[in-house]
């Protein structure tokens, strides 16, 4: 997530420079053929281009709307995780009786942080359809750091789970799922010991069900991309449009004077750049958990939750909030 | 669900080749009549076409939006089924006391998998308005396999239900519904035996109610297509538009030079192909459970749930996750 | 609800033939005045028509979106009724103890079916703003049968309620409401007799509250039409647009040649038909409970629920599912 | 709420006649200057007008969408009030034990009707941004009666609350809020007397929380208008567009012939009327509780609830449903 | 929140005067170059501008839609806070037994008001992407007062919390979070003393969970701006469009007569102003808690809640409702 006022235009142009090169070539070729080699028949009327443009605009607009919705829903889900985590904090504190000198509360809270940790590592895994491996994103990625790609999950879990539990969890396919099932098992034992009242036990268990819901919703966004059939025609139509644009502009500029036909080049580039950039911004918003600069800042949110929960345990040595790097907050 | 980066353009062109043939004929006829047989009066002004085009664009855009919503809602429902299934896993484990050497937990979990199985078989049944029987889809369908059309429901259920229960369930109209009612009956017996506490019993029963909800929502998407009145005018308007387009382009291209009128053919084809493809992509997204390449991957999701639940039972011989075939995940 | 692949174009043209006649007249008059009587000043430029067309397109598009939403919400509500009904089935079965040889379960289930019946009869009543009384719909209505308009409510209820209860219910304004209140009274008596445990009693009562919600939501769609102020300007603007269209086309066709001005007639008709049909399809989707061919199939859904519930009672003489007539499912 | 088929065109023209006068003047002045005084330079090209028109169309369309959403949400909220009220009816009836010859049920039901009454009076109060004080609405308002502006709240409450409670409630800022708090107090007393079981008590109290929610949602729509910043630019842009339209049409009509420039007047009026009417219909939908003809019919709905609840008390002297006046239902 | 009928046009023009100056310069330069210095080749055809305009219009429209949604959701969240606060009022009153001469009710209510206070102070803190520091907003801000920026949080809390609790809360990172955890601790103590029944205790605790949800939702809107990637291209495209507009108009006005080319200046300004203003209104709606004139009036809403709650405690010395200043309600 970018936390500054704006992306600077310079960075945007740098980020899209490969498109700009491509567009430049696409635009120069027909102009040179037309104006220099005098191949006049390649100029086409504006009508078919306007129609393709309408389709491209609809499909790009639609994609941007849906990717925005995906991003916003992802943020809502993680907002709900914040809320449920705080609720978990007070429910554990006030529903679970702690034996003298016991650390049941701490166990239940730390295991919750372990769940958050496992979940965010799972969400940072790579998928075929994600975009961070593309050259322009790899390039931009040197501006910031994705902690989940630097630190090992094992190291993070080892301070939060007992060695036995950690081994159990790491042996499972979906680790977050089985951390919750450990919580459930622990609650049952506490309840059987009489440390949780039956009514309160049900509420705590329901909170676990709620956490499964948030986890499942995150996984839905992660594992179900913007449908590939729409993404495909999006790409086809925008490319087609970009190819057609200079052919259609030739006549328009020629009307103003023979020499002015060369203006097709700068204005063709501007127009194609606008559409291509709109498409690209949509693309870079598509997958809100892939570790890109426009992601939901799940590392930072997890840290905030951790601080809140540790403060509830009245710990005083708190971890620092995650700071943005180059205005990018992870 | 397509799990690659994109559908290759080649496959798209192949998939739409019948439309391309048709469009080519539609476009060639007026051009030949006009340019070769010199029947000039068939060229029409652009204004009426633009109006029909506006209506067609609105109605195609609307259809794509709604089919996307249907697909996304279907995925949400199955996401909720994942969540409820995991919750079922921990609730069964920790709310139901198991007698020494009993397998109550396993029964309740396996019966749940049976429900998932019955449900996905029901969702794969064919409906009049579905598209997988169309020639171009039948053709494409050889790239992948729909397990529900290959394996028999009886075989799948027999490993999950007792023979008696299986016979009972197979005798009913809506099998999934009656598997849940078996779960409910079993829970009541367990509760009467004192193996489930009253409070917890209510929560488990509520989870069954929740599963009925998800089942009913899946059935709603399955049984209530994109309304046929809208689908019909969608088809009429797009066809009408495709027929009108070349007539309207003749004059536009002729303005650029007499010979250039022949360019109506390639550009007419491009424009009609764009609209026809947009329409067709919408159509192929319409019914997210019909067993097509853009479906919600319910077979795979059921398998994932099965693995999670069996891991909760600490089974070690786990079934393999479903793998995509030719980038299509079922 | 139409359950076929498409409405045939022939039926559509037949259904809209009155509009076609009207449009033909509207289009012929200015063309004849212009081309035959040579009244040239009636041709108007395209600009004002484009503006009125934009407004009409927006308002028609908006109406279609909203009527689609009404239809889809209505289907969601009835989907929720299906879910709650099945839940009612298992909750009655497993929460209510039945005395030896008693038929409490059957009473509670049959009374529920009576509620469904009363509700669908209420929803089929006629409202001032509904469209099924319009001539073209009356005409089309001979293709199918609306059971609620053929059978009497009294006859249907008599097999489901005791004579006393039936009389009580028929004496009330809103019958469905008071069937639920009978359910509630019955539950209380059962609870007082100790046949329902307190916790379970609350769940059953909550289910009744849930049914009130679904009933109220159905009534909302029934009793609150697409707002008449929007419906009115919709009609005014579309009509205005249809009147203006031929005047605006005259000049466009004349540019192509003097004789071609007569082409205003077929193309004017095509354009006006497209807009008028779009408007009419919206209208016929507006009220999803009025007994029209595009309604939510509440009769059929009630029957499906009835079958599911009777199977839960292990009845074997089940009613048949409702079959579509002429592809229309009620 | 208008309950007829349509607003007659005549009424619409009458209701918008002030705009028509204004538009006529705005349109005549430039035409006369241009055609009669021959001031040719005031004709402007269509391009800037099309851009302003696009902005105006977007902003008017957006406003209509949002006001429709406000209306529909208001109706949903009151639908939920209907549902909760019926639920309140059965819960009071079956959860609260009534002492012999007591009238506890009646008290709880009547106090609920008092809440409905207080709420609808609050919602009918006037706000700065509402439109019913505008001359054309005052004029139209003689066709119907807003009961809350005719009858006094005190008179209505006196038949529903004890004198003491009425005095208490009338002394508070937000009366509806404190009627609910009286309900809560009464329930607690009944519970302490053992007339309500603990579990059922919680359900009843939750129903009060639910009623607070519906009340708060109604107040949200009432107290938070369509944001004034959007409403302001909406007005500015539409006015600007209406002023520009005739200037832009002059050239278009002149092209057809010198005399035909006078046609700018009728067609300019038609176009501006369409946009102005669209804007005005949006405005008259903006505030669904202000006592206008397009409001949610809260008086009538309250009466329906009252009838349902009194029938549950088996009262036989029921008030009459509210009847529409001049097709307007309040 | 502006509570008048409209922003006066004068204020709008004043507020946007810096843009007007800028636009004027942008528009004058090309016109002078073209008409005075006779540099004819800078006039460009309308086609590329229309395309950039389409993209700009889409992206501005999209932004306005999303910022409206953000504002409206923020208002919904605070509406829910109102509802939950009233519910908290009656639940505290009727679920918590108060010892003779005790002030438990008051403590729980005052601490709730403290939570509201801490929350609104947190929401008024400044963020990098917020707009109130921009010169034109600073200028406008002298018309009204943001109480949270004038009064100190410590002073407000000191009348609501004990000194000890205040110190505890002020020592925490997220104060609102830890006020709720104090509530939870207090409830547990009361429950252990037998002053709250187990069932009711769970409901009260659930209400705290609900408050965490509303708090978290407010924080989501506060901390997650309209995504910067979209905001950036929005700015780039609108600026680009504004720069292109006068170049494109030159030819259009010249067609009408050589002198009329100067009309490019006023009409270019009008068009650019419309788009720039639309953009700016979107921007000023973006962050509904930043202390601007279009914010959700959280200070005023908190005061209303305070009055309702104090009236429930039957206090008579009530604080005054917040009054709007210069039509702006905070």
């Amino acid at each position: 997530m970018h936390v500054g006022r704006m992306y600077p235009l310079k960075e945007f142009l740098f980020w899209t420079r490969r498109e700009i090169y491509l567009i430049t070539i696409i635009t120069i070729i027909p102009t040179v053929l037309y104006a220099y080699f005098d191949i006049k028949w390649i100029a086409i009327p504006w009508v078919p281009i306007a129609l393709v443009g309408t389709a491209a605009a609809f499909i790009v607009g639609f994609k941007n709307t849906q990717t925005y919705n995906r991003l916003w829903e992802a943020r809502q889900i993680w907002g709900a995780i914040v809320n449920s985590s705080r609720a978990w904090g007070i429910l554990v504190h006030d529903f679970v009786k702690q034996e003298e000198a016991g650390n049941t509360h701490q166990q239940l809270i730390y295991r919750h942080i372990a769940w958050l940790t496992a979940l965010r590592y799972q969400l940072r895994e790579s998928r075929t359809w994600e975009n961070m491996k593309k050259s322009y994103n790899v390039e931009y990625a040197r501006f910031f750091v994705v902690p989940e790609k630097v630190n090992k999950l094992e190291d993070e879990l080892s301070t939060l789970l007992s060695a036995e539990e950690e081994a159990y969890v790491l042996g499972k396919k979906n680790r977050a799922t089985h951390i919750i099932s450990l919580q459930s098992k622990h609650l049952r034992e506490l309840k059987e010991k009489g440390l949780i009242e039956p009514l309160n036990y049900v509420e705590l268990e329901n909170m676990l069900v709620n956490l499964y819901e948030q986890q499942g919703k995150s996984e839905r966004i992660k594992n179900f991309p913007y449908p590939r059939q729409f993404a495909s025609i999006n790409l086809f139509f925008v490319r087609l449009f970009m190819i057609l644009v200079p052919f259609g502009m030739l006549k328009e500029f020629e009307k103003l004077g023979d020499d002015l036909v060369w203006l097709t080049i700068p204005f063709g580039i501007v127009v194609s750049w606008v559409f291509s950039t709109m498409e690209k911004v949509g693309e870079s918003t598509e997958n809100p958990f892939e570790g890109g600069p426009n992601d939901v800042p799940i590392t930072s949110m997890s840290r905030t939750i951790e601080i809140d929960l540790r403060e509830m345990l009245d710990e005083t040595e708190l971890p620092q909030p995650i700071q943005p790097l180059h205005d990018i907050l992870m």
Side-chain angles (χ1 to χ4, degrees), chain A:
Chain A
M1 171 192 169
H2 193 280
V3 297
R5 277 208 61 77
M6 289 282 161
Y7 278 102
L9 179 56
K10 219 180 71 184
E11 274 186 24
F12 240 88
L13 292 176
F14 185 80
W15 182 60
T16 56
R17 73 182 190 284
R18 279 182 185 80
E19 272 79 21
I20 298 177
Y21 301 157
L22 181 69
I23 293 166
T24 307
I25 294 168
I26 290 179
T27 316
I28 284 179
I29 292 175
T31 316
V32 168
L33 289 178
Y34 186 87
Y36 191 78
F37 293 97
D38 214 41
I39 309 183
K40 292 301 182 199
W41 63 268
I42 61 170
I44 54 174
W46 193 250
V47 154
I49 298 172
L51 284 172
V52 172
T54 302
F58 167 74
I59 212 86
V60 172
F62 184 64
K63 181 177 173 180
N64 279 13
T65 306
Q66 298 306 343
T67 55
Y68 177 88
N69 289 348
R70 284 170 65 87
L71 176 65
W72 188 235
E73 197 196 345
R75 183 57 181 79
Q76 284 180 310
I77 295 164
W78 272 77
I81 288 179
V82 172
N83 306 343
S84 299
S85 297
R86 288 172 180 163
W88 182 251
I90 59 169
L91 294 189
V92 162
H93 195 276
D94 295 316
F95 279 3
V96 180
K97 264 174 231 132
Q98 195 169 230
E99 284 157 359
E100 206 64 45
N103 68 343
T104 318
H105 290 175
Q106 203 201 46
Q107 280 175 18
L108 287 165
I109 297 290
Y110 277 30
R111 206 183 282 116
H112 182 77
I113 300 171
W115 170 76
L116 273 174
T117 308
L119 181 56
R120 73 185 154 89
Y121 271 81
Q122 284 170 207
L123 294 177
R124 291 288 194 214
E125 280 163 15
S126 177
R127 293 287 179 276
T128 343
W129 52 78
E130 289 181 350
N131 300 304
M132 281 311 292
K133 285 181 210 137
K134 291 189 174 170
S135 56
Y136 48 88
N137 285 325
V138 169
E139 194 174 74
Y140 195 85
R142 71 195 150 85
F143 286 134
F144 57 92
V145 169
V146 183
E148 287 80 12
K149 297 191 174 159
V150 176
N151 310 321
K152 288 179 82 177
L153 173 63
E154 289 76 2
D155 298 344
E156 301 242 356
L157 287 188
S158 63
T159 63
L160 298 164
L161 295 177
S162 70
E164 184 193 14
E165 285 188 358
E166 194 188 348
Y168 177 81
V169 164
L170 291 174
K172 298 293 185 180
K173 290 259 150 81
N174 187 319
R175 287 142 185 189
T177 301
H178 292 279
I179 294 179
I180 298 281
S181 90
L182 286 178
Q183 293 280 47
S184 178
K185 204 175 291 183
H186 194 180
L187 289 181
R188 193 198 48 195
E189 292 163 10
L190 291 166
K191 198 233 153 189
E192 283 171 359
K193 286 189 198 159
L195 296 168
I196 311 178
E197 292 180 33
L199 265 172
N200 301 354
Y201 172 58
V202 168
E203 295 301 316
L204 284 162
E205 198 75 13
N206 280 340
M207 194 52 78
L208 295 182
V209 172
N210 177 300
L211 295 174
Y212 266 159
E213 256 170 53
Q214 309 309 333
Q215 175 187 334
K217 284 178 179 173
S218 304
E219 290 172 358
R220 163 161 56 78
I221 305 249
K222 178 74 185 178
N223 293 327
F224 197 72
Y226 181 67
R228 296 296 91 190
Q229 66 271 35
F230 286 112
S232 303
I233 56 170
N234 190 53
L235 192 77
F236 302 157
F237 291 1
V238 171
R239 288 277 161 88
L240 183 60
F241 180 65
M242 278 162 56
I243 292 170
L244 292 178
V245 157
F247 291 89
M249 277 192 183
L250 292 170
K251 265 277 173 291
E252 303 290 326
F253 277 97
E254 199 182 36
K255 282 183 204 156
L256 304 180
D258 271 0
D259 288 352
L260 299 185
V261 79
W262 291 102
L263 288 174
T264 295
I265 295 175
F267 289 100
I269 291 173
V270 161
V271 165
S272 287
W273 178 79
V274 162
F275 276 79
S276 139
T277 297
M278 200 151 72
E279 209 269 332
K280 205 167 167 182
V281 162
E283 186 195 85
S284 81
T285 309
E286 211 175 307
N287 304 304
F289 297 125
E290 63 176 323
N294 299 314
D295 273 24
V296 172
I298 58 176
T299 315
S300 159
M301 293 179 78
S302 298
R303 182 63 57 86
T304 308
I305 295 171
E306 190 174 344
I307 293 171
D308 278 357
L309 290 180
R310 285 180 188 268
E311 277 194 319
M312 283 191 194
L313 290 173
D314 288 321
E315 295 189 9
T316 49
E317 284 191 30
L318 301 171
Q320 287 304 305
I322 305 277
Q323 294 302 323
L325 274 174
H326 194 80
D327 271 348
I328 304 294
L329 187 67
M330 264 302 120

